[in-house]
Amino acid sequence: MAAFKAWVIEKTESGQTLSLRDFDGADLMDGDVTVRVSHSGLNYKDGLAMTGRMPVVRRFPMIPGIDFAGTVEASDHPEYRPGDAVVLTGWGVGETHLGGLAERARVRGDWLVPLPEGLSSAEAMAIGTAGYTAMLSVLALERHGLTPEAGPAVVTGASGGVGSVAVALLKRAGWHVIAATGRGDEADYLKSLGAAEILEREALSGEPRPLAKERWAAGIDAVGGKVLANALAMTKGGGAIAACGNAGGMDLPSSVAPFILRGVALLGINSVTTPQAPRREAWARLARDLDRDLLKRMTATVPLAEAGGLAERLLEGRVRGRTVVAIT
């Protein structure tokens, strides 16, 4: 395979470098499907990988990009043939396996999902890992037996990628959505996605109490840390919070009080190694339920050459919604 353009992270004595350069196709890792990538996305984990702020990358050189969509070029996998449109999220791509911010990718076919009918590759990456994770969270709340009749639903980190899609999905499902954000200037944006109330981040960022006034029956948390602890303390009896991110830290300074005194549940969301059946269920629901006009409203598109320059802004919380990278 000829060389192709890719963002490449390389290890140095003082840390790491990130550059857009030609990558030799012979250096792609093992896999039974080769994909011509048309679109990728920028996610929080990509920002960590590209800046080196956390040890996300496990091998060097590494092509970042934890998700991508494109067309099969070559396949030894029984389910995929050249020309098939596919989507990939997770499985260590962009961390331990060369990722999607490139014109080509070679992966295991078992990691792929056929592009759902009705979605374009660009729309699939507008959804991306963030939107897919939000859908897994909604499905977890539903499996727990929660419905909009139980009370409001809170979304933390609401103006980010996961949060934006979560707001839209919960609204579509009939929930009264409370959008928690540290960016007050995004109130109009969040209301346009379906938020009924805007909650300032300060209401959830103080020192957590074991229990607080009950405010919501369900929640999707992409922040972690004190924000998640406070969200749990404010959850109604029998309610649940789906935890799917750690932008605010890995710790959880909570207590057992919400769990043993109110029967609150903490639902962990693993979007990386989700088995095929729930993975395809989530993508089918996204294709069916996510309003395309709202998806456009929360999405910006940049060319491959500009992707590397957005990593710092992404980590600083200065990127709204979803960012799609147009590869070709």
Side-chain angles (χ1 to χ4, degrees), residues 5-327:
K5 290 293 183 184
W7 282 99
V8 182
I9 302 169
E10 296 181 275
K11 188 75 170 177
T12 67
E13 290 185 1
S14 59
Q16 66 178 50
T17 62
L18 174 70
S19 63
L20 180 64
R21 66 171 176 84
D22 288 335
F23 192 89
D24 192 338
D27 293 332
L28 283 173
M29 298 173 69
D30 290 342
D32 50 9
V33 179
T34 301
V35 178
R36 179 188 291 270
V37 181
S38 63
H39 297 84
S40 185
L42 284 180
N43 301 276
Y44 190 81
K45 189 179 287 186
D46 296 320
L48 294 174
M50 289 190 284
T51 61
R53 287 199 190 179
M54 287 185 66
V56 170
V57 177
R58 304 298 184 182
R59 72 174 298 278
F60 296 91
M62 174 56 63
I63 298 174
I66 64 171
D67 51 26
F68 64 78
T71 304
V72 173
E73 272 196 338
S75 174
D76 292 322
H77 190 279
E79 188 168 353
Y80 298 105
R81 297 179 179 179
D84 288 347
V86 293
V87 179
L88 182 141
T89 61
W91 298 109
V93 168
E95 302 173 70
T96 59
H97 193 97
L98 298 177
L101 286 174
E103 293 176 332
R104 297 289 188 282
R106 182 181 295 137
V107 296
R108 290 178 53 187
D110 291 343
W111 295 350
L112 297 168
V113 171
L115 181 70
E117 186 175 353
L119 278 183
S120 68
S121 293
E123 288 172 332
M125 282 300 99
I127 295 168
T129 295
Y132 162 67
T133 302
M135 188 73 249
L136 289 177
S137 301
V138 172
L139 291 171
L141 294 171
E142 292 177 355
R143 285 195 297 272
H144 193 70
L146 292 169
T147 65
E149 289 70 33
V154 68
V155 176
T156 68
S159 59
V162 174
S164 293
V165 180
V167 169
L169 289 172
L170 288 169
K171 171 61 176 178
R172 177 66 178 264
W175 290 88
H176 177 98
V177 182
I178 301 172
T181 180
R183 300 165 63 184
D185 58 339
E186 298 287 18
D188 289 343
Y189 162 72
L190 291 168
K191 288 180 179 178
S192 76
L193 299 181
E197 299 180 45
I198 306 299
L199 184 67
E200 292 294 331
R201 179 185 295 163
E202 287 72 20
L204 294 173
S205 58
E207 288 300 319
R209 297 161 56 190
L211 292 174
K213 181 180 178 181
E214 294 174 299
R215 298 198 58 176
W216 37 73
I220 295 176
D221 172 68
V223 179
K226 292 180 179 179
V227 170
L228 175 55
N230 279 304
L232 288 165
M234 298 179 188
T235 301
K236 294 183 176 184
I241 301 290
C244 59
N246 64 333
M250 292 287 287
D251 60 325
L252 180 57
S254 183
S255 74
V256 298
F259 311 114
I260 66 173
L261 298 180
R262 289 183 180 165
V264 170
L266 179 59
L267 310 176
I269 305 301
N270 168 24
S271 65
V272 178
T273 57
T274 315
Q276 275 287 327
R279 186 177 288 268
R280 295 190 184 207
E281 178 189 6
W283 277 105
R285 279 283 298 273
L286 284 161
R288 188 192 78 188
D289 292 353
L290 187 57
D291 186 298
R292 302 298 193 273
D293 289 335
L294 294 184
L295 187 61
K296 290 178 183 178
R297 197 171 299 165
M298 67 180 78
T299 303
T301 302
V302 300
L304 180 63
E306 295 181 12
L310 294 175
E312 290 286 354
R313 292 186 60 212
L314 185 67
L315 296 185
E316 292 167 1
R318 294 189 291 122
V319 175
R320 169 200 282 181
R322 292 286 298 146
T323 300
V324 172
V325 180
I327 306 297

